[in-house]
Amino acid sequence: MRGSNAIPSDAKLALLANLEIGLHEQTRLQPEILEALDAAYATQQELGRRALEALFPSATRWWPVVRTPAAAAIGLPARAIQRAASRLAREVITDSLMILALPGRVLALGTHLADAYPDVLTKPTDPELNELLARFEPAPPARDDCGARDWSELNQRMHYIVHLFRAFHLSEQLAQPPFNQGQVASITRGVIPEGEL
């Protein structure tokens, strides 16, 4: 992020570069983000086995020729239920736990970021920047709520990131070092520093 003394065209190009880097990073990390938010879930085969044993405790003693197809048959509806539960869990995690701490405030990533854009970034004219913004911003007059419902969804993440980067792109506060000298000295000694981190 550049300081407020940036030339307007530089600010737009820097925003474009930051968004392109952000998109690359989010695209590359998509499998890991989805896996992390779905970490507790089992495969369809494992679900079928668990459901079969929950319904019929004696199934553990059944011959594999009977147990395996029975588990597969039960696994289909169990997987559908798991998908719905997984979607709901990701939405709850996004709404309740996904935050970003900035100096002086904490942003909930599931909530719309209503901060105004700097004037120079309100109506960009660069075609490449406009093309990238159009991928993630709804076309007017559609309501523009950037709060992500499910952080595992790339387009929802990028919609929030576009707002975040545009709103804070010229923030001098974010251009400051994240730690003061005393905190750096503590970190160097292997000690958790005091104060806001």
Side-chain angles (χ1 to χ4, degrees):
M1 295 191 187
R2 301 281 303 264
S4 60
N5 58 354
I7 299 169
S9 62
D10 286 351
K12 292 173 188 174
L13 291 175
L15 174 63
L16 174 61
N18 285 337
L19 287 172
E20 287 175 337
I21 292 166
L23 176 59
H24 172 77
E25 176 182 307
Q26 294 300 316
T27 302
R28 185 180 63 78
L29 291 173
Q30 177 60 25
E32 288 83 359
I33 291 170
L34 182 58
E35 183 181 353
L37 290 172
D38 281 345
Y41 299 104
T43 64
Q44 181 175 322
Q45 181 180 3
E46 179 65 16
L47 272 174
R49 185 192 61 75
R50 289 179 189 175
L52 180 65
E53 290 173 5
L55 293 171
F56 304 102
S58 64
T60 58
R61 296 185 305 275
W62 294 359
W63 291 348
V65 72
V66 174
R67 185 176 61 237
T68 301
I74 291 176
L76 286 171
R79 180 70 177 133
I81 292 167
Q82 181 190 47
R83 274 195 301 273
S86 176
R87 187 172 37 256
L88 178 62
R90 289 192 310 262
E91 289 177 6
V92 168
I93 289 168
T94 299
D95 187 53
S96 304
L97 302 175
M98 301 298 292
I99 61 166
L100 176 63
L102 298 177
R105 72 190 275 197
V106 175
L107 304 176
L109 305 182
T111 303
H112 177 63
L113 182 61
D115 293 52
Y117 302 142
D119 289 340
V120 69
L121 298 176
T122 301
K123 293 183 180 179
T125 56
D126 181 82
E128 224 179 327
L129 178 56
N130 283 329
E131 183 182 334
L132 185 59
L133 294 175
R135 286 181 61 185
F136 304 107
E137 294 284 5
R143 184 171 166 254
D144 188 11
D145 180 352
C146 72
R149 289 192 60 210
D150 179 349
W151 197 250
S152 73
E153 294 287 333
L154 176 64
N155 285 341
Q156 291 182 34
R157 278 198 318 276
M158 282 304 301
H159 186 193
Y160 190 89
I161 289 168
V162 163
H163 277 252
L164 178 73
F165 282 20
R166 283 177 84 181
F168 292 98
H169 185 71
L170 300 178
S171 170
E172 289 291 338
Q173 196 173 17
L174 293 181
Q176 299 300 313
F179 306 108
N180 63 38
Q181 290 179 346
Q183 290 173 321
V184 171
S186 294
I187 292 169
T188 302
R189 291 190 314 272
V191 176
I192 296 176
E194 293 185 13
E196 187 174 326
L197 300 179

